[in-house]
Amino acid sequence: TEREADTEDEVEALGVDATGTQLATGKTFTVDKVTYEVTGRGEVWLTDGSKCSGTYQIPSKVTYKKVKYTVTGIGQCALSYSSVKKLSIPACIKTIHQDAFVSMPSLETITVDDGNTEYVAEDGVLYTRDHLWLYTYPLAKKGDTFVMNNEVRYFAFSSMFSDTKYLKKLVLSQHLYQESPISITNSSIETIEVDKKNKKLVSKDGILYSKDGKTLLLYPNSKKDKIYFVQSSVEKIGNS
């Protein structure tokens, strides 16, 4: 997908002449209400798409004042607070900031071009291609259960499951070893389960504990219990 150039006034404001000279690294420009930052020769990152909505296909290229740039990255909070529901990521994206998609309350699903070598989407959820990182779980994704890919070791950002609308049961992977993996403030999650082969984490009554039972790590704030008695083995209660 390619977008056309922005206004003459903005070109002059940035000090670019009419010959199609590429902007210097670090300079920004706006095309179709989306802001990009030049990161190298012929390359830009998308840095502000907060005005985007509905179905949004991140462009693979943008043309600004006769110069064509390839979009190779997505910056910090680039789409935060947007109204995007369906997000498509092209093959040319090589880097996505870990916080690129925080606070996207309308996001239902993510797709990634099959040619992308760094990232992949499975059932609308974004991972790194090797599945070691779970990058984004869409807050408005339909369905009440999420079983993450069992290769996941890390979350891109800890508040990934805060403010989910429909998710009730979260199943953590075999290889997730972060002892304070997530925050689920204002989440719809009622129960957390853990793959039985996980060596660091365990679930008891839908609540997350360290494997040795000494630390209560996470109590789902939407859990239906009126009274809950903490396991007698607990010596410490986590901060999440």
Side-chain angles (χ1 to χ4, degrees):
T1 304
E2 185 174 332
R3 302 300 181 104
E4 289 304 315
D6 216 23
T7 66
E8 288 283 341
D9 288 342
E10 286 179 309
V11 171
E12 293 302 323
L14 289 167
V16 182
D17 62 30
T19 63
T21 303
Q22 177 179 305
L23 295 176
T25 299
K27 291 288 188 178
T28 62
F29 61 86
T30 301
V31 174
D32 290 345
K33 299 181 180 180
V34 177
T35 300
Y36 302 88
E37 179 177 331
V38 179
T39 56
R41 185 171 180 81
E43 296 185 353
V44 295
W45 277 30
L46 190 160
T47 56
D48 186 356
S50 58
K51 295 180 181 178
C52 296
S53 62
T55 298
Y56 180 57
Q57 166 73 58
I58 293 174
S60 57
K61 295 183 183 296
V62 288
T63 300
Y64 187 80
K65 196 57 182 179
K66 301 181 181 179
V67 178
K68 185 180 291 185
Y69 300 88
T70 300
V71 183
T72 60
I74 305 170
Q76 184 176 19
C77 301
L79 289 169
S80 296
Y81 309 109
S82 70
S83 299
V84 172
K85 293 183 178 180
K86 297 179 180 180
L87 176 65
S88 296
I89 298 172
C92 55
I93 296 295
K94 303 302 181 187
T95 306
I96 301 175
H97 192 282
Q98 289 174 255
D99 293 333
F101 305 136
V102 299
S103 301
M104 294 182 67
S106 301
L107 187 62
E108 298 174 359
T109 188
I110 299 170
T111 59
V112 179
D113 188 283
D114 290 341
N116 192 299
T117 60
E118 303 298 327
Y119 301 95
V120 65
E122 295 179 356
D123 192 27
V125 178
L126 182 64
Y127 298 87
T128 53
R129 175 63 69 172
D130 57 13
H131 293 99
L132 295 183
W133 290 81
L134 173 58
Y135 240 71
T136 304
Y137 180 89
L139 296 181
K141 179 176 169 57
K142 301 294 175 60
D144 61 6
T145 300
F146 174 56
V147 181
M148 68 180 61
N149 186 288
N150 219 18
E151 295 302 315
V152 170
R153 287 164 168 74
Y154 313 103
F155 293 122
F157 55 98
S158 62
S159 61
M160 184 177 303
F161 296 98
S162 293
D163 300 305
T164 54
K165 295 181 179 180
Y166 305 108
L167 183 62
K168 296 188 180 300
K169 182 168 75 172
L170 173 63
V171 183
L172 303 181
S173 69
Q174 171 184 345
H175 298 293
L176 186 70
Y177 291 163
Q178 292 170 283
E179 290 201 349
S180 297
I182 49 174
S183 168
I184 53 175
T185 306
N186 299 321
S187 172
S188 55
I189 295 173
E190 297 176 0
T191 186
I192 299 172
E193 296 183 5
V194 182
D195 186 282
K196 292 181 180 179
K197 294 180 181 179
N198 192 299
K199 297 179 180 179
K200 296 289 185 179
L201 307 172
V202 67
S203 174
K204 298 179 181 180
D205 302 318
I207 297 162
L208 187 64
Y209 288 86
S210 58
K211 193 75 170 186
D212 61 10
K214 294 183 179 181
T215 304
L216 191 163
L217 293 168
L218 197 60
Y219 183 94
N221 62 332
S222 291
K223 194 169 172 58
K224 302 300 184 182
D225 296 331
K226 292 184 178 180
I227 298 175
Y228 178 71
F229 294 97
V230 175
Q231 299 280 329
S232 60
S233 60
V234 169
E235 300 175 357
K236 179 182 177 181
I237 296 178
N239 295 324
S240 298

